Amino acid sequence: LPIVVGFGINNAETAASISACADGVVVGSAIVKKMAAQKDQKAEQTATIVRDVTDLLRSMREAMDAN
């Protein structure tokens, strides 16, 4: 039975720490917060939101892989 953790995963350090003892991590609110931080941006700046979320997830993946 896979064990995943999805509370408090908001940065690479936490993702790496949790992944050492769980089969996976679930990231939700951290993505929503990144998107909400850009909510007042114009539609043409959507790329900024996508980049910020991608950077967040990439840093988490790299930290977990290094663990």
Side-chain angles (χ1 to χ4, degrees), residues 8-58:
I9 312 299
N10 56 11
N11 58 45
E13 182 179 298
T14 304
S17 176
I18 296 299
S19 72
C21 58
D23 297 311
V25 298
V26 177
V27 181
S29 59
I31 294 172
V32 172
K33 287 178 184 177
K34 286 284 185 186
M35 294 173 71
Q38 302 290 334
K39 70 181 171 101
D40 295 329
Q41 301 295 326
K42 298 189 184 317
E44 59 270 9
Q45 293 177 325
T46 300
T48 300
I49 296 170
V50 172
R51 186 190 68 236
D52 288 350
V53 170
T54 300
D55 290 347
L56 172 68
L57 297 177
R58 182 178 294 120

